[in-house]
Amino acid sequence: METLFDLLSIEKEKKAARLLLSDTQKTFAVEGWVPRTCSEDMKKRIEEEFICHIEIREPGEDEQPPVLLSNPALVQPFEAVTQMYSLPSRSDIDPNPLIAPFFFLFFGIMMADAVYGTLMCIATAIAIKKWAPEGLSGKIVRLIFLGGISTIIWGVVFGSWFGDLPKVLSGGQFIIRPLWFNPMENAVLMLVFSLGLGVIHILTGLFARAAILIRNKDYAGAVFDVFSWVLLLIGLLMLIPGGVTGQVGQYMAIAGTGTILLFAGRKHKNPVKRILSGLAGLYSISGYLSDILSYARLLALGLATGVISSIINTMGAMFAKSVPGVLFFIFLLAFGTVFNIALNALGAFVHTSRLQYIEFFGKFYEGGGRAFVPFGGKTRYIRMNNN
Amino acid sequence: MDVIKDVLFDGNAYALLGSALAALLAGTGSAKGVGIAGEAAAGVVSEDPSKFGKTLILQALPGTQGIYGLLVAFIIWNKIGLLAGNMQPMEVQKGILLLAAALPIAVVGLLSAIAQGKAAAAGMGILARRPEEFSKAVIYAVMVETYAVLALLASFLMVVWL
């Protein structure tokens, strides 16, 4: 039954492709897209088998070629994030290599538990081994596996093993010290750390925008619209430590502000209009402020994971004073852990994605590309070997 | 009379009231939000049962406010020693401050969860007609949650710093 389904799907696809051809009784013409890396190979193989004429050309100026992403194996799972938003258009760069490190980092910070991370890695490794998922779902499973590794790392950094289970079980005798600090005890440091990561993320987005503008030879845009903001943002940050750094930062911020004020409205000839539109440009500082504050969710979601696990632990420890109590505790721990991981992995996934889509992509990425869908071999139940 | 006096002039009563409001209002909001999204989800699944998993993701999104409320309640209990079982008498002023600290997540949690439930329910329409654009429906709902996260932070930092 399954084989039949696949066989018929292939036939259906062939029939659908026929409709796209322009043919006479004896001849037909095919036009289509082929990835550049395999175009010569394809030409050779078809010419060996059939009598035909094959012409290969680069896409024209006004054409929108379909997109096939090509990234190293470690970055590939993160393509799922871009795929769920929108594929890059011709004027974009492939954002995946930029997304990968930040997604990895942010997902782990929001989960941050060494034991939870291990469980996530084991579960996803079994899923990959057993079902060998492909396509988008395959990428997402691998993404959660990598997220699990990051969760372990941050769990060790923040000293979270099943939340505070070692401490609760030993009655405060045995505490696994965090490698850096415990966000539950030092929430302010965690908040500063979260916002700091946000600034780095946003600056990376701005640099990506500058790179695109420079590639398109829009040097004025890169200097006046991007580097002026970089100067202003870094200058404002340098005000915080004060001293000589603060002095330098002050001048950088003033230089950045001046550039934006004078040049943001450079397309207007009228000087009054130009300054007014410069002022309007400067108003986007509020946007940057809210973007940076948005990274506070790194702290909030990390706390949610930690506090829920400590609720489970505290509740369990109240019962764990007799044999049935201990059994109940184990049951509670197992049930609570699955619940907590499922809920917070979903939360970490959607919130990390949001940080990429709104705060990061907003700086440089447009999207709107369509996917390259190769002809042939779309089966549901059977996998075909290459060749 | 003395009982009333004991309760009213002990800060613990106000702190507990605050923690109760946080769990109660934010939890009510989440229940309502998840319910609204669930009604729309049932409609989508009646047409195409294979979308159950995705409707569940969208339905779960307004559920986080309830957790944020419980989270704030929990750290208040921790603060007043209810968890460790050694609740000490507390000044009325301090109790009222803790009550105030619980208010952001209580009120914002209630309203944002309902609003998020509506956004998630509308997102079910995307899932029904354009399932490939599912992640955009999720993002619309997550946009609402930002304000619950900010309220959680406000409440959390107030409780920690008090």
Side-chain angles (χ1 to χ4, degrees):
Chain A
M1 194 64 198
E2 293 176 351
T3 320
L4 193 67
F5 180 90
D6 279 352
L7 211 65
L8 289 175
S9 330
I10 294 172
E11 280 306 315
K12 188 178 156 212
E13 203 186 346
K14 277 186 189 161
K15 285 258 156 53
R18 281 262 353 205
L19 294 176
L20 299 173
L21 304 181
S22 41
D23 55 353
T24 64
Q25 263 184 344
K26 296 269 165 63
T27 65
F28 65 90
V30 189
E31 198 180 20
W33 298 99
V34 179
R36 181 178 292 147
T37 42
C38 31
S39 59
E40 285 303 321
D41 184 46
M42 180 206 72
K43 185 177 176 179
K44 213 176 76 202
R45 279 169 63 170
I46 296 181
E47 278 178 344
E48 273 170 12
E49 298 248 355
F50 306 102
I51 305 162
C52 59
H53 169 74
I54 294 176
E55 192 182 300
I56 296 172
R57 65 172 178 84
E58 292 283 311
E61 279 292 319
D62 52 346
E63 282 180 306
Q64 278 287 344
V67 182
L68 180 69
L69 298 171
S70 158
N71 279 303
L74 211 56
V75 176
Q76 268 171 23
F78 298 95
E79 287 173 358
V81 183
T82 317
Q83 247 169 296
M84 287 190 295
Y85 182 80
S86 185
L87 286 168
S89 74
R90 225 180 151 184
S91 55
D92 283 314
I93 50 172
D94 180 1
N96 293 302
L98 292 175
I99 286 180
F102 286 109
F103 198 101
F104 183 75
L105 211 63
F106 293 163
F107 188 94
I109 293 175
M110 289 184 191
M111 292 289 291
D113 190 290
V115 183
Y116 287 4
T118 315
L119 292 173
M120 283 162 66
C121 283
I122 293 170
T124 45
I126 291 172
I128 292 170
K129 193 113 187 104
K130 200 164 173 196
W131 293 296
E134 283 176 354
L136 187 63
S137 50
K139 281 176 185 165
I140 290 176
V141 173
R142 286 175 180 83
L143 191 62
I144 297 171
F145 178 79
L146 289 174
I149 294 176
S150 178
T151 303
I152 299 175
I153 296 171
W154 287 102
V156 173
V157 169
F158 294 146
S160 179
W161 301 73
F162 260 134
D164 56 355
L165 188 67
K167 185 178 151 194
V168 171
L169 276 190
S170 63
Q173 300 291 315
F174 178 67
I175 298 167
I176 301 180
R177 293 248 162 258
L179 213 58
W180 186 20
F181 70 98
N182 182 347
M184 305 273 264
E185 284 159 10
N186 199 343
V188 180
L189 179 58
M190 185 61 201
L191 184 62
V192 173
F193 175 61
S194 304
L195 300 186
L197 284 174
V199 171
I200 295 171
H201 198 206
I202 287 169
L203 286 177
T204 311
L206 282 174
F207 282 126
R209 181 167 160 72
I212 293 172
L213 287 172
I214 289 170
R215 189 183 69 174
N216 296 342
K217 305 218 164 28
D218 182 2
Y219 301 110
V223 173
F224 297 141
D225 295 342
V226 182
F227 286 121
S228 56
W229 279 106
V230 173
L231 210 60
L232 175 55
L233 290 177
I234 296 181
L236 286 179
L237 283 178
M238 282 164 67
L239 287 177
I240 298 169
V244 183
T245 328
Q247 293 254 301
V248 177
Q250 196 181 337
Y251 291 121
M252 280 169 69
I254 292 170
T257 313
T259 316
I260 295 162
L261 197 60
L262 293 176
F263 292 101
R266 62 187 177 283
K267 65 173 191 289
H268 295 290
K269 285 272 188 296
N270 183 336
V272 179
K273 257 192 182 166
R274 180 164 168 164
I275 295 297
L276 279 179
S277 120
L279 270 175
L282 211 50
Y283 183 70
S284 10
I285 189 81
S286 66
Y288 283 93
L289 188 70
S290 70
D291 280 354
I292 293 169
L293 286 178
S294 178
Y295 289 81
R297 73 186 72 233
L298 291 177
L299 160 65
L301 274 108
L303 285 175
T305 321
V307 174
I308 293 172
S309 60
S310 81
I311 292 175
I312 298 166
N313 295 339
T314 317
M315 260 166 63
M318 283 177 202
F319 295 106
K321 285 176 180 112
S322 59
V323 177
V326 170
L327 287 177
F328 182 72
F329 173 54
I330 292 168
F331 170 76
L332 194 72
L333 191 68
F335 183 77
T337 302
V338 171
F339 170 77
N340 198 8
I341 290 180
L343 198 77
N344 281 293
L346 174 65
F349 191 88
V350 297
H351 280 277
T352 311
S353 301
R354 180 227 139 97
L355 287 178
Q356 311 291 342
Y357 296 157
I358 313 285
E359 276 75 17
F360 193 52
F361 279 178
K363 301 290 170 290
F364 70 98
Y365 186 72
E366 278 171 17
R370 65 201 161 91
F372 173 69
V373 186
F375 168 68
K378 280 188 270 303
T379 53
R380 189 186 292 179
Y381 301 105
I382 302 169
R383 296 227 172 83
M384 284 189 257
N385 290 326
N386 289 336
N387 303 324
Chain B
M1 205 54 202
D2 277 352
V3 179
I4 296 170
K5 207 169 134 193
D6 281 351
V7 171
L8 281 185
F9 291 94
D10 185 0
N12 286 314
Y14 298 96
L16 269 180
L17 180 62
S19 70
L21 282 178
L24 187 152
L25 290 178
T28 308
S30 274
K32 195 143 194 299
V34 172
I36 293 170
E39 285 172 27
V44 174
V45 170
S46 67
E47 286 288 319
D48 182 359
S50 72
K51 286 179 182 146
F52 176 66
K54 284 188 168 174
T55 57
L56 211 56
I57 290 178
L58 212 45
Q59 193 196 2
L61 293 177
T64 38
Q65 280 85 344
I67 293 167
Y68 297 159
L70 180 65
L71 194 157
V72 169
F74 190 79
I75 55 170
I76 292 177
W77 299 336
N78 198 25
K79 185 105 184 167
I80 64 177
L82 184 69
L83 285 178
N86 57 348
M87 217 161 79
Q88 304 294 329
M90 192 202 289
E91 288 167 34
V92 172
Q93 190 199 3
K94 184 151 190 224
I96 293 176
L97 289 178
L98 281 172
L99 169 61
L103 290 181
I105 193 58
V107 177
V108 180
L110 171 67
L111 297 177
S112 73
I114 296 170
Q116 199 180 1
K118 287 180 183 160
M124 297 290 178
I126 297 184
L127 184 57
R129 271 166 240 127
R130 307 279 306 265
E132 69 281 2
E133 304 295 348
F134 168 68
S135 58
K136 288 172 180 114
V138 174
I139 292 300
Y140 285 136
V142 173
M143 294 301 287
V144 182
E145 176 147 336
T146 302
Y147 304 98
V149 169
L150 294 180
L152 166 64
L153 268 177
S155 287
F156 178 82
L157 291 175
M158 279 194 267
V159 174
V160 169
W161 283 335
L162 274 174

